[in-house]
Short mmCIF file of all heavy atoms in Angstrom, two decimals:
data_model
loop_
_atom_site.label_atom_id
_atom_site.label_comp_id
_atom_site.label_asym_id
_atom_site.label_seq_id
_atom_site.Cartn_x
_atom_site.Cartn_y
_atom_site.Cartn_z
N ALA A 1 2.00 -6.49 28.44
CA ALA A 1 3.10 -7.38 28.82
C ALA A 1 3.05 -7.95 30.24
O ALA A 1 3.33 -9.11 30.48
CB ALA A 1 4.38 -6.60 28.64
N GLU A 2 2.46 -7.11 31.18
CA GLU A 2 2.30 -7.61 32.53
C GLU A 2 1.18 -8.71 32.59
O GLU A 2 1.31 -9.67 33.32
CB GLU A 2 1.91 -6.40 33.40
CG GLU A 2 3.06 -5.42 33.52
CD GLU A 2 2.66 -4.20 34.39
OE1 GLU A 2 1.55 -4.15 34.84
OE2 GLU A 2 3.49 -3.33 34.59
N ARG A 3 0.11 -8.39 31.82
CA ARG A 3 -1.01 -9.34 31.91
C ARG A 3 -0.76 -10.69 31.17
O ARG A 3 -1.24 -11.73 31.57
CB ARG A 3 -2.24 -8.72 31.26
CG ARG A 3 -2.76 -7.47 32.07
CD ARG A 3 -4.02 -6.92 31.36
NE ARG A 3 -5.14 -7.86 31.48
CZ ARG A 3 -6.36 -7.68 31.06
NH1 ARG A 3 -6.60 -6.44 30.48
NH2 ARG A 3 -7.28 -8.47 31.16
N LEU A 4 0.07 -10.61 30.13
CA LEU A 4 0.37 -11.85 29.31
C LEU A 4 1.22 -12.87 30.15
O LEU A 4 0.95 -14.00 30.08
CB LEU A 4 1.08 -11.48 28.06
CG LEU A 4 0.30 -10.93 26.91
CD1 LEU A 4 1.21 -10.66 25.66
CD2 LEU A 4 -0.80 -11.84 26.51
N GLY A 5 2.18 -12.33 30.88
CA GLY A 5 3.11 -13.27 31.49
C GLY A 5 4.22 -13.64 30.47
O GLY A 5 4.09 -13.54 29.23
N PRO A 6 5.40 -14.02 30.91
CA PRO A 6 6.57 -14.22 30.01
C PRO A 6 6.41 -15.38 29.09
O PRO A 6 6.86 -15.36 27.93
CB PRO A 6 7.74 -14.49 30.95
CG PRO A 6 7.10 -14.97 32.27
CD PRO A 6 5.81 -14.28 32.38
N ASP A 7 5.80 -16.47 29.57
CA ASP A 7 5.65 -17.63 28.70
C ASP A 7 4.73 -17.33 27.49
O ASP A 7 4.98 -17.68 26.33
CB ASP A 7 5.12 -18.83 29.44
CG ASP A 7 6.14 -19.34 30.47
OD1 ASP A 7 7.41 -19.28 30.15
OD2 ASP A 7 5.77 -19.89 31.46
N ARG A 8 3.58 -16.70 27.77
CA ARG A 8 2.65 -16.30 26.71
C ARG A 8 3.19 -15.32 25.81
O ARG A 8 3.02 -15.42 24.54
CB ARG A 8 1.33 -15.83 27.37
CG ARG A 8 0.15 -15.63 26.34
CD ARG A 8 -0.28 -17.01 25.94
NE ARG A 8 -1.45 -16.87 25.05
CZ ARG A 8 -2.76 -17.00 25.40
NH1 ARG A 8 -3.07 -17.20 26.68
NH2 ARG A 8 -3.68 -16.90 24.53
N ALA A 9 3.95 -14.32 26.34
CA ALA A 9 4.55 -13.37 25.47
C ALA A 9 5.66 -13.96 24.57
O ALA A 9 5.74 -13.62 23.39
CB ALA A 9 5.25 -12.29 26.35
N ALA A 10 6.42 -14.89 25.10
CA ALA A 10 7.42 -15.61 24.30
C ALA A 10 6.67 -16.36 23.20
O ALA A 10 7.21 -16.42 21.98
CB ALA A 10 8.22 -16.59 25.14
N ARG A 11 5.57 -17.03 23.47
CA ARG A 11 4.83 -17.83 22.50
C ARG A 11 4.38 -16.88 21.28
O ARG A 11 4.48 -17.23 20.12
CB ARG A 11 3.65 -18.51 23.06
CG ARG A 11 3.11 -19.59 22.13
CD ARG A 11 1.82 -20.14 22.68
NE ARG A 11 0.70 -19.19 22.40
CZ ARG A 11 -0.53 -19.47 22.74
NH1 ARG A 11 -0.93 -20.56 23.40
NH2 ARG A 11 -1.51 -18.56 22.49
N VAL A 12 3.93 -15.72 21.68
CA VAL A 12 3.38 -14.79 20.68
C VAL A 12 4.55 -14.36 19.82
O VAL A 12 4.48 -14.34 18.57
CB VAL A 12 2.82 -13.51 21.37
CG1 VAL A 12 2.56 -12.43 20.40
CG2 VAL A 12 1.43 -13.92 22.00
N LEU A 13 5.74 -14.01 20.38
CA LEU A 13 6.90 -13.66 19.59
C LEU A 13 7.39 -14.76 18.73
O LEU A 13 7.81 -14.54 17.50
CB LEU A 13 8.01 -13.18 20.49
CG LEU A 13 7.68 -11.92 21.41
CD1 LEU A 13 8.89 -11.60 22.25
CD2 LEU A 13 7.26 -10.76 20.51
N MET A 14 7.27 -16.03 19.13
CA MET A 14 7.60 -17.20 18.27
C MET A 14 6.71 -17.21 17.03
O MET A 14 7.11 -17.41 15.93
CB MET A 14 7.44 -18.43 19.07
CG MET A 14 8.58 -18.76 20.09
SD MET A 14 8.25 -20.38 20.78
CE MET A 14 9.36 -20.34 22.21
N GLN A 15 5.38 -16.94 17.27
CA GLN A 15 4.50 -17.04 16.24
C GLN A 15 4.72 -15.87 15.21
O GLN A 15 4.62 -16.11 13.98
CB GLN A 15 3.05 -16.90 16.76
CG GLN A 15 2.61 -18.14 17.50
CD GLN A 15 1.23 -17.84 18.29
OE1 GLN A 15 0.91 -16.73 18.56
NE2 GLN A 15 0.54 -18.95 18.51
N VAL A 16 5.11 -14.73 15.67
CA VAL A 16 5.42 -13.65 14.86
C VAL A 16 6.66 -13.94 14.00
O VAL A 16 6.68 -13.72 12.77
CB VAL A 16 5.62 -12.32 15.60
CG1 VAL A 16 6.03 -11.20 14.63
CG2 VAL A 16 4.33 -11.95 16.33
N CYS A 17 7.67 -14.50 14.61
CA CYS A 17 8.89 -14.81 13.91
C CYS A 17 8.60 -15.96 12.82
O CYS A 17 9.17 -15.87 11.74
CB CYS A 17 9.90 -15.39 14.86
SG CYS A 17 10.68 -14.13 15.90
N ALA A 18 7.75 -16.90 13.17
CA ALA A 18 7.45 -17.96 12.26
C ALA A 18 6.73 -17.41 10.98
O ALA A 18 6.80 -17.92 9.85
CB ALA A 18 6.61 -19.01 12.86
N ALA A 19 6.01 -16.30 11.22
CA ALA A 19 5.16 -15.72 10.11
C ALA A 19 6.00 -14.79 9.30
O ALA A 19 5.67 -14.47 8.09
CB ALA A 19 4.00 -14.97 10.68
N ALA A 20 7.08 -14.23 9.82
CA ALA A 20 7.83 -13.22 9.16
C ALA A 20 8.97 -13.73 8.31
O ALA A 20 9.63 -14.81 8.74
CB ALA A 20 8.45 -12.18 10.19
N PRO A 21 9.31 -13.20 7.16
CA PRO A 21 10.55 -13.59 6.48
C PRO A 21 11.78 -13.32 7.32
O PRO A 21 11.75 -12.48 8.23
CB PRO A 21 10.50 -12.78 5.19
CG PRO A 21 9.61 -11.62 5.49
CD PRO A 21 8.65 -12.01 6.55
N ASP A 22 12.87 -13.95 6.95
CA ASP A 22 14.15 -13.81 7.65
C ASP A 22 15.32 -13.39 6.68
O ASP A 22 15.77 -14.33 5.98
CB ASP A 22 14.49 -15.01 8.41
CG ASP A 22 15.62 -14.85 9.37
OD1 ASP A 22 16.18 -13.72 9.57
OD2 ASP A 22 16.05 -15.86 10.00
N PRO A 23 15.69 -12.17 6.64
CA PRO A 23 15.20 -10.98 7.36
C PRO A 23 13.99 -10.42 6.75
O PRO A 23 13.61 -10.71 5.58
CB PRO A 23 16.36 -10.00 7.25
CG PRO A 23 16.97 -10.35 5.94
CD PRO A 23 16.83 -11.84 5.72
N VAL A 24 13.26 -9.59 7.61
CA VAL A 24 12.11 -8.85 7.06
C VAL A 24 12.57 -7.71 6.10
O VAL A 24 13.51 -6.95 6.47
CB VAL A 24 11.36 -8.18 8.21
CG1 VAL A 24 10.14 -7.44 7.68
CG2 VAL A 24 10.76 -9.39 9.11
N PRO A 25 12.00 -7.64 4.94
CA PRO A 25 12.41 -6.55 4.08
C PRO A 25 12.23 -5.17 4.75
O PRO A 25 11.25 -4.96 5.45
CB PRO A 25 11.47 -6.63 2.83
CG PRO A 25 11.08 -8.08 2.84
CD PRO A 25 10.98 -8.43 4.35
N PRO A 26 13.12 -4.19 4.48
CA PRO A 26 13.00 -2.96 5.16
C PRO A 26 11.61 -2.27 5.03
O PRO A 26 11.15 -1.63 5.96
CB PRO A 26 14.15 -2.13 4.56
CG PRO A 26 15.20 -3.08 4.19
CD PRO A 26 14.36 -4.33 3.74
N THR A 27 11.06 -2.47 3.87
CA THR A 27 9.73 -1.79 3.64
C THR A 27 8.64 -2.35 4.47
O THR A 27 7.57 -1.74 4.75
CB THR A 27 9.35 -1.95 2.15
OG1 THR A 27 9.41 -3.32 1.75
CG2 THR A 27 10.32 -1.23 1.24
N ASP A 28 8.86 -3.59 5.05
CA ASP A 28 7.77 -4.23 5.79
C ASP A 28 8.04 -4.18 7.32
O ASP A 28 7.25 -4.68 8.11
CB ASP A 28 7.59 -5.71 5.40
CG ASP A 28 7.03 -5.84 3.99
OD1 ASP A 28 6.45 -4.86 3.49
OD2 ASP A 28 7.19 -6.91 3.39
N ARG A 29 9.16 -3.60 7.73
CA ARG A 29 9.50 -3.67 9.13
C ARG A 29 8.63 -2.83 10.00
O ARG A 29 8.33 -3.16 11.21
CB ARG A 29 10.97 -3.23 9.31
CG ARG A 29 11.96 -4.32 8.83
CD ARG A 29 13.38 -3.88 8.85
NE ARG A 29 14.24 -4.90 8.16
CZ ARG A 29 15.48 -4.76 7.98
NH1 ARG A 29 16.11 -3.68 8.31
NH2 ARG A 29 16.20 -5.75 7.39
N ALA A 30 8.11 -1.74 9.51
CA ALA A 30 7.23 -0.81 10.31
C ALA A 30 5.95 -1.59 10.73
O ALA A 30 5.44 -1.27 11.81
CB ALA A 30 6.80 0.43 9.54
#
């Protein structure tokens, strides 16, 4: 997290959200 910086970390989290269903089924949350 320190090496990424906040903007890069935010972009990664955006990409994960875009890939994940909303909401994520409980069986897939782990």
Side-chain angles (χ1 to χ4, degrees):
E2 295 177 1
R3 296 183 64 179
L4 283 179
D7 291 331
R8 190 70 177 263
R11 194 190 76 179
V12 168
L13 297 179
M14 285 183 194
Q15 292 171 331
V16 174
C17 288
D22 188 5
V24 176
T27 54
D28 291 340
R29 290 174 183 175

